[in-house]
Amino acid sequence: MKDKFKTVKSLLSPLAVTLCNLLIAYVVYFLARLIYFFENYSYFSQNLSFPHVLEMLRGGLVFDTSAILVTNIPYIVLMLFPIHYTESAIYQKLCRAVFLIINGLALAINLCDAVYFRFTMRRTTTTVFSEFANEENLGGVFLKETVNHIYLLVLFVVMVWAMYRLYRMTGLKYKELTWWHYDLATFLSLAALAPFVVAGIRGGFATAVRPITISNANQYVDRPTDAALVLNTPFSLYRTIGKAVFVVPEYYQDEAEMASVYNPIHVPSDSVPMTKKNVVVLIVESFGREYIGALNGTLENSRYRGYTPCVDSLIAKSITFSHSYCNGRKSIDGMPSILSSIPCFVEPFFLTPASMNHVSGIASLLAGEGYQTAFFHGAQRGSMGFQAFARSTGFQEYYGREDYDEDTRFGGDADFDGMWAIWDEPFLQYYAAKMSEMKEPFMTAVFTASSHHPYVIPEKYKDVYPEEGLTIHKCIRYTDMAIGRFFQEASRQPWFKNTIFVLTSDHTNQSDHMEYQTDLGGFCSPIIIYEPGVTDHQPEMQQKIAQQIDILPTLMGRLHYPKPYFAFGIDVLNTPAEQTWAVNYMNGFYQYVKHGHVIQFDGQKTTAAYALTDSLMQNNLVNQLPEQPQMEREVKAIVQQYMERMTQDRLQP
């Protein structure tokens, strides 16, 4: 009897050991989630309750199970492969190595994403590989962040060492069992485990359960931001490989009905002749609304001064808005939103197949009216895909780092920041000089770079703008100075008074105020319209809602552009305040802002609603707003128009 028991125990050993080692992986994923939480504590700590934490942990277990089983399939098969001699010591060491490589890599990915989260407010997907495909400095960036987060590297080493120490082998002695006993046992173990692996990967046993996707995380959270805490990065990566980005909903069966609610085709209604003023758009890296003192009069009990004295002076002679938002969370989201009035829904537009559609923009519309157009970015050509997008939307010329280097009037590559691009101060001077060589009317856009990770400034300014508050603050001060110097230089040019300037940011960045760390607060970007000789006599902060995709139609309205054109936004200056709105997408939710409120729509229903005066988004008013049904109809029309036009190549009138 004892021998039979020993035999049965030995036969079960491979399965038991496999399950025990997979349990180690679960612990690693759980600890990685805790690290993710504490690394971004200020973003997740709002409105947390014990029941909500338990619900998120329950959801996290579902997604961890899927990720662990998918990534560990090679390990499971190796451990339970029905061939004798796999119980040998050499083979078991091979299995251990495979286990450590798979789960060590998963841990590293989760820890790296814990740092990257604050830039995107979501888990990383496979589009990250396309986003940075043309960058040659990623090694330097990674090394810099490793130094800045050395504690994460230490935790990684400790956790991999712990996995090694806790790992268990079968303990079977070579030739302890006859081959057919062992082969049969491992085959039956593999067959018995297979249904559980499939169910775990799919997210459950129920027949109605389809393979879970990223959007399923929303059923475990109260806020879109928290979905990142439920998910894990390996899951987000493998679930987005080769997946269709745009899925057309069927909210409206009748095209005319949908168009009556929302229509992105703009037909000018006035007969005023076109005013061919120059157009200059400054897209300032990470220049969130939070940093600008003039836009935060009530922050910190009205004592907040911000970090942008030059932009504050510009605002004093410009048109701004009481609420203004970006339409994405990355630099590659900003360009389509600002220059082509295309928001980021689901994934960045020009990382999707829809980027091959026929796309218009400010540059192409004005080039058709005789404008000379040019785009400026101080990084090397091809960086972030900006050059390709600029060309596709009608910019006739592109000026980058190589062009700056060739201009003997400036400092050449000595002005390179060593990581991304030419420093903002000299590059904006170059920008002003090049515009003075262009024939009027012209339309140009510049994308700055210095207020960007790894948050460094030129050596000569380190005593002028010392470290303060967040690491980005000194960079904001430096870039603000560069903007001030640009306007000083531009004001001396003959084209200056015949120009409309728009200043905005590509997205937001680091935050030290809770108001800007909410689901909506993370999208707060400035939109500043400065028209010399006009707005400086009539500066105004309009009590309206504005967004990046409004910039194109607003400029067309300002110029009295005479032809129909395509834009997802509105002419905010010629729209009554109560009809202004904004929309953005975050972790499976569409946030729609209108009538002094924001609703969060998950594609089927509104799950939350907040007053804009509720800056911390603490009082959920879902199903209590009289405007909610109409807001739902409108956001449905916006989403369906977007998806249909993306998939059908209908991004022009």
Side-chain angles (χ1 to χ4, degrees), residues 143-452:
L143 180 61
K144 176 80 173 180
E145 279 306 296
T146 300
V147 172
N148 290 342
H149 298 85
I150 193 68
Y151 55 90
L152 292 182
L153 179 60
V154 173
L155 285 171
F156 171 77
V157 172
V158 170
M159 292 173 70
V160 171
W161 176 83
M163 279 195 285
Y164 174 82
R165 296 291 297 173
L166 293 172
Y167 184 89
R168 289 290 170 264
M169 297 187 185
T170 61
L172 295 177
K173 294 181 180 179
Y174 187 59
K175 296 184 179 179
E176 185 179 58
L177 301 169
T178 60
W179 68 267
W180 66 271
H181 273 144
Y182 188 85
D183 289 0
L184 180 61
T186 52
F187 174 77
L188 291 176
S189 296
L190 189 60
L193 191 59
F196 293 93
V197 171
V198 172
I201 292 172
R202 289 176 57 85
F205 276 103
T207 56
V209 174
R210 63 173 185 169
I212 54 173
T213 65
I214 292 175
S215 62
N216 290 107
N218 292 318
Q219 71 189 73
Y220 301 100
V221 301
D222 295 331
R223 304 186 311 140
T225 302
D226 295 340
L229 204 56
V230 174
L231 293 164
N232 60 76
T233 308
F235 178 89
S236 295
L237 289 172
Y238 83 74
R239 282 301 295 159
T240 53
I241 295 174
K243 298 298 181 183
V245 176
F246 301 128
V247 178
V248 180
E250 297 181 349
Y251 304 130
Y252 293 89
Q253 303 300 318
D254 182 68
E255 184 80 22
E257 180 188 2
M258 180 169 63
S260 69
V261 178
Y262 169 76
N263 190 349
I265 304 299
H266 297 252
V267 179
S269 58
D270 64 41
S271 57
V272 178
M274 184 173 179
T275 304
K276 292 190 176 182
K277 283 195 168 187
N278 306 312
V279 172
V280 172
V281 179
L282 292 92
I283 306 172
V284 187
E285 173 67 47
S286 301
F287 210 72
R289 187 181 175 106
E290 176 180 5
Y291 310 131
I292 302 173
L295 298 180
N296 291 282
T298 61
L299 202 61
E300 296 182 2
N301 295 319
S302 302
R303 295 194 302 269
Y304 183 69
R305 294 294 175 264
Y307 305 89
T308 61
C310 295
V311 170
D312 288 350
S313 297
L314 180 67
I315 288 173
K317 50 188 177 183
S318 303
I319 296 174
T320 54
F321 305 93
S322 57
H323 299 88
S324 54
Y325 305 96
C326 53
N327 295 104
R329 289 284 306 179
K330 298 181 180 181
S331 296
I332 55 174
D333 300 332
M335 275 188 67
S337 298
I338 296 163
L339 300 176
S340 291
S341 192
I342 298 175
C344 172
F345 286 174
V346 186
E347 293 291 354
F349 166 71
F350 62 81
L351 297 183
T352 71
S355 63
M356 303 305 294
N357 290 349
H358 296 86
V359 183
S360 60
I362 301 172
S364 62
L365 294 176
L366 295 183
E369 300 301 314
Y371 277 64
Q372 187 176 355
T373 60
F375 185 85
F376 294 75
H377 183 48
Q380 65 187 32
R381 287 175 174 265
S383 177
M384 301 297 290
F386 289 170
Q387 185 179 11
F389 183 76
R391 184 171 183 176
S392 71
T393 54
F395 283 98
Q396 299 155 347
E397 301 292 339
Y398 183 96
Y399 297 98
R401 174 183 166 189
E402 296 88 344
D403 305 286
Y404 178 88
D405 290 347
E406 293 176 358
D407 196 320
T408 57
R409 295 173 296 179
F410 297 90
D413 227 34
D415 293 330
F416 178 56
D417 65 12
M419 186 68 70
W420 292 108
I422 302 299
W423 294 112
D424 284 352
E425 181 187 13
F427 194 75
L428 287 176
Q429 293 298 301
Y430 169 75
Y431 179 44
K434 294 299 289 185
M435 282 191 287
S436 294
E437 299 170 1
M438 296 175 68
K439 179 183 177 182
E440 296 186 66
F442 56 75
M443 183 272 150
T444 68
V446 63
F447 205 125
T448 71
S450 295
S451 45
H452 191 290

Side-chain angles (χ1 to χ4, degrees), residues 539-595:
E540 182 182 9
M541 176 179 283
Q542 296 192 1
Q543 299 302 306
K544 292 182 178 181
I545 297 164
Q547 56 187 324
Q548 288 174 335
I549 60 173
D550 293 340
I551 291 173
L552 185 156
T554 300
L555 284 170
M556 295 304 108
R558 200 77 175 175
L559 297 172
H560 302 287
Y561 181 77
K563 302 173 184 176
Y565 62 91
F566 180 92
F568 281 106
I570 60 173
D571 177 356
V572 69
L573 294 180
N574 289 309
T575 300
E578 64 274 12
Q579 293 301 316
T580 58
W581 54 273
V583 66
N584 53 62
Y585 178 89
M586 181 181 181
N587 292 333
F589 284 86
Y590 295 93
Q591 296 191 122
Y592 185 56
V593 187
K594 196 173 184 181
H595 303 305

Side-chain angles (χ1 to χ4, degrees), residues 85-98:
Y85 306 134
T86 56
E87 76 276 19
S88 68
I90 294 177
Y91 189 86
Q92 287 298 307
K93 288 180 180 179
L94 171 65
C95 291
R96 180 177 62 189
V98 170

Side-chain angles (χ1 to χ4, degrees), residues 282 284 287 308 310-311 314 424-425 428-429 448 476-489 503-504:
L282 292 92
V284 187
F287 210 72
T308 61
C310 295
V311 170
L314 180 67
D424 284 352
E425 181 187 13
L428 287 176
Q429 293 298 301
T448 71
I476 295 296
R477 287 197 184 276
Y478 167 75
T479 294
D480 175 72
M481 176 273 296
I483 293 170
R485 283 209 58 213
F486 164 78
F487 276 102
Q488 287 176 358
E489 180 63 25
L503 187 149
T504 186

